[in-house]
DNA sequence: TATACTGTGTATATAGATATATACAGTATA
DNA sequence: TATACTGTATATATCTATATACACAGTATA
């Protein structure tokens, strides 16, 4: 199974944390349903060219937060999460991300109209790119 | 001078890096013009309740990237940067930030229309909040 | 004019966080 | 039963953040 997990080594955000956020998005967004097996820490670490301890750290955080379950010798699976919780994570996370992006754009001395225009341009580019 | 520099200790992004990004936004955005003195590493570290070595690390990175100049015993000042460079940093950074936000929103299985709606709601909230 | 004080930045040692390499333990299958 | 999968643990190196001390620059005062 090919997962859209990517890490940026340029980012100062810890690698394990990038992985956590991306899996959270996939799970809360419904891309990965309950019971689905995740790649093993070895498979993922090879895929991302990082240490298995780094992928394990990410899986540990996800497990502590209740998104996945791991069984020694068996593997890691998407946990059974209440739809309401998934929805809450989805709505809250996306809202926070977009709001932070707006705040940052405003700190560059753009005004709301300009931010809106730039954003709509990006959406347009994405729409064209999808075709 | 009161600067809108804030750090989030919850974020996994290193503190020094958060400071770098926020100063970069203020400088590229024109809020801080060339020659403006920045707070000393002691003043800023007291303001943010962090170590002076952390603020120094942020100032060092900003100096290496050409945004500021520091003189031992005298202080730290906004560097004289070409308007074209400031503009480039401004446009590129904001575009990247908004684009990444869109990408992340899409990874939560929102579609472009939904992302647009959420974003416009946020802008609306911000417009109301400004009043 | 020299010295002391107060500002400024700079350097070093240490602790915690992050990422790695390597070895150990559990489970399933041939 | 052996092998190949799986997760788990430990030691080490690097990065980040801190506390503390040192050095430079400007100003005030004797």
């Amino acid at each position: 199974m090919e997962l859209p997990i990517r890490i940026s080594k340029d980012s100062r955000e810890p690698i394990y944390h990038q992985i956590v956020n991306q899996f959270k998005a996939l799970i809360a967004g419904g891309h990965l349903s309950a019971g689905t097996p995740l790649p093993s820490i070895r498979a993922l670490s090879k895929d991302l060219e990082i240490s298995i301890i780094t992928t394990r750290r990410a899986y540990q955080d996800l497990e502590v937060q209740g998104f996945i379950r791991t069984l020694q010798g068996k593997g890691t699976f998407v946990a059974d999460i209440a739809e309401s919780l998934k929805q809450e994570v989805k709505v809250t996370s996306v809202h926070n991300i977009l709001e932070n992006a707006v705040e940052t754009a405003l700190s560059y001395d753009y005004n709301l109209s300009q931010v809106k225009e730039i954003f709509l341009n990006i959406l347009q580019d994405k729409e064209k790119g999808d075709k």
Side-chain angles (χ1 to χ4, degrees), chain A:
Chain A
M1 183 223 298
E2 179 69 13
L3 288 173
I5 302 288
R6 302 285 181 274
I7 60 168
S8 161
K9 288 187 170 172
D10 291 332
S11 173
R12 297 313 308 158
E13 183 186 6
I15 295 176
Y16 80 88
H17 202 253
Q18 295 179 46
I19 297 169
V20 167
N21 285 338
Q22 290 176 52
F23 270 114
K24 201 180 291 184
L26 292 172
I27 295 170
H31 285 293
L32 295 172
S33 47
T36 303
L38 299 185
S40 68
I41 57 175
R42 277 182 182 78
L44 187 64
S45 70
K46 186 170 292 181
D47 193 22
L48 301 179
E49 292 179 338
I50 59 177
S51 161
I52 65 170
I53 299 306
T54 304
T55 61
R56 171 171 170 67
R57 172 62 200 265
Y59 278 9
Q60 265 183 318
D61 279 20
L62 285 162
E63 185 164 28
V64 162
Q65 296 180 47
F67 287 94
I68 63 172
R69 292 185 169 276
T70 75
L71 293 164
Q72 173 159 8
K74 302 193 74 171
T76 304
F77 308 85
V78 178
D80 202 351
I81 308 157
E83 272 314 308
S84 55
L85 175 57
K86 284 201 283 193
Q87 194 62 15
E88 184 193 340
V89 167
K90 181 173 172 175
V91 170
T92 303
S93 297
V94 170
H95 189 274
N96 285 344
I97 286 156
L98 291 171
E99 186 169 35
N100 285 341
V102 171
E103 294 283 357
T104 305
L106 294 176
S107 75
Y108 275 87
D109 208 40
Y110 279 122
N111 61 39
L112 290 172
S113 297
Q114 290 170 309
V115 175
K116 180 179 172 179
E117 187 176 340
I118 297 168
F119 189 82
L120 294 180
N121 283 342
I122 291 170
L123 290 188
Q124 248 182 350
D125 287 346
K126 295 250 163 272
E127 209 157 22
K128 278 184 279 181
D130 284 359
K131 288 165 180 173

